[in-house]
């Protein structure tokens, strides 16, 4: 099964994809996490990506498609978080999946209002090693700055600065919202209001995935 989790910055894609991966066994693939690992390793791709990421721009499609291509066929199924993010990427994914046995099964759009998104991102910190997200307000690490999951160092993301957040929201509207239209034109987007507690959102997502319900359920 292949599931695309879509939603603006701060919608909770990473938080929920981790939990869903644990509960279903599916592989969580986050292009943001993969890119941050490249940046941390100082690779050629990391050096290139850092500039785009720090200011909240998208990394070029060709780099992203090359990076993710080899991961999209996993026996336990995949949960895509942060990919595809442009129509070019969505078409490349469809083409790559034509070579395999299963297409995208579900596209889930997690919507959250803008004030809540900004609030979440201004409180977020992330483990630099295992990339577990924390909310410094409601779900901080037990020991400040230290990841509960792996003991790595927890810090605020450079692109969670207010000016980068504003730019990321615009980039989402301009380049990623059209991906939703692309999938809706195929009739397969499930809408989830991703407010409420993380447990409540997890419950909604689990039900949606369990039902395996294709078809448009637009607002
Ligand atoms: P990426 O890392 O994908 O960032 P994003 O899409 O902007 O999304 P976020 O990770 O900010 O939010 P999220 O939805 O995962 O929310 P989270 O669970 O952390 O991408 C970063 C950059 O990489 C991009 O800007 C771009 O440069 C590049 N990039 C990545 N993919 C790319 C691609 N395909 N093409 C080109 N470039 C690409 O939650 C946020 C906070 O809210 C946390 O603190 C969390 O604890 C809290 N929270 C979660 N759920 C709840 C809840 N229900 N209630 C209250 N708080 C909650
Ligand atoms: Mg994320």
């Amino acid at each position: 099964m292949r599931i695309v989790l879509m939603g603006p910055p701060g919608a909770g894609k990473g938080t929920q994809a981790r939990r869903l991966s644990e509960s279903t066994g599916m592989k969580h693939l986050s292009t943001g996490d993969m890119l941050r690992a490249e940046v941390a390793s100082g690779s050629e791709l990391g050096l290139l990506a850092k500039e785009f990421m720090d200011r909240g721009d998208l990394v070029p499609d060709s780099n992203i498609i090359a990076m993710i291509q080899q991961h999209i066929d996993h026996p336990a199924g995949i949960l895509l978080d942060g990919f595809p993010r442009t129509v070019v990427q969505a078409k490349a994914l469809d083409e790559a999946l034509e070579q395999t046995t299963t297409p995208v099964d579900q596209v889930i759009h997690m919507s959250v209002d803008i004030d809540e998104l900004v609030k979440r991102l201004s409180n977020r910190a992330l483990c630099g090693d295992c990339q577990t997200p924390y909310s410094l307000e409601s779900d901080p690490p037990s020991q400040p700055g230290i990841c509960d999951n792996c003991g790595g160092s927890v810090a605020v993301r450079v692109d969670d600065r207010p000016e980068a957040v504003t730019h990321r929201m615009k980039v989402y509207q301009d380049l990623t919202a059209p991906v939703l239209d692309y999938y809706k034109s195929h009739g397969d987007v499930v809408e989830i209001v991703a407010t409420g507690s993380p447990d409540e959102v997890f419950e909604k997502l689990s039900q949606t995935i369990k039902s395996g319900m294709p078809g448009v359920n637009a607002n």
Side-chain angles (χ1 to χ4, degrees):
M1 193 163 185
R2 293 190 178 88
I3 295 173
V4 176
L5 278 185
M6 292 194 63
K13 303 180 295 295
T15 300
Q16 297 297 338
R18 279 165 182 275
R19 296 178 64 158
L20 291 166
S21 171
E22 274 170 29
S23 71
T24 63
M26 294 173 77
K27 183 154 180 62
H28 172 200
L29 282 180
S30 157
T31 42
D33 288 354
M34 291 164 99
L35 289 168
R36 279 183 289 277
E38 294 287 343
V39 171
S41 76
S43 69
E44 200 179 322
L45 172 60
L47 290 174
L48 176 138
K50 185 175 186 327
E51 223 179 288
F52 291 92
M53 294 170 79
D54 284 357
R55 57 173 191 256
D57 277 321
L58 296 186
V59 175
D61 288 330
S62 55
N63 299 102
I64 296 292
I65 292 163
M67 178 180 78
I68 198 153
Q69 203 121 26
Q70 80 235 39
H71 300 285
I72 55 169
D73 202 13
H74 192 277
I78 54 171
L79 279 164
L80 287 164
D81 154 13
F83 176 88
R85 219 150 162 138
T86 64
V87 173
V88 170
Q89 292 179 19
K91 288 183 174 166
L93 177 62
D94 281 349
E95 274 167 32
L97 292 181
E98 273 171 23
Q99 321 291 322
T100 68
T101 45
T102 343
V104 169
D105 297 277
Q106 274 186 331
V107 179
I108 303 176
H109 175 216
M110 300 169 65
S111 63
V112 175
D113 68 65
I114 182 76
D115 291 345
E116 170 73 8
L117 293 172
V118 170
K119 185 173 159 227
R120 287 184 187 180
L121 293 177
S122 66
N123 283 307
R124 177 175 53 191
L126 196 71
C127 174
D129 291 345
C130 72
Q131 314 246 11
T132 298
Y134 292 91
S135 166
L136 297 175
E137 185 191 54
S138 58
D139 178 30
S142 315
Q143 285 180 271
I146 299 174
C147 179
D148 294 346
N149 187 41
C150 75
S153 153
V154 173
V156 171
R157 267 170 53 174
V158 176
D159 60 349
D160 280 345
R161 292 183 328 261
E163 60 276 23
V165 166
T166 305
H167 187 60
R168 283 161 63 204
M169 296 298 173
K170 182 172 176 351
V171 167
Y172 182 82
Q173 280 312 320
D174 292 349
L175 297 175
T176 308
V179 177
L180 280 172
D181 296 334
Y182 172 80
Y183 282 125
K184 280 178 184 166
S185 73
H186 294 61
D188 52 2
V189 175
V190 181
E191 297 282 346
I192 296 278
V193 177
T195 48
S197 71
D199 284 349
E200 286 166 342
V201 177
F202 176 70
E203 196 47 42
K204 286 187 205 174
L205 286 167
S206 297
Q207 289 306 325
T208 300
I209 290 171
K210 260 188 219 139
S211 68
M213 178 177 62
V216 178
N217 180 16
N219 274 338

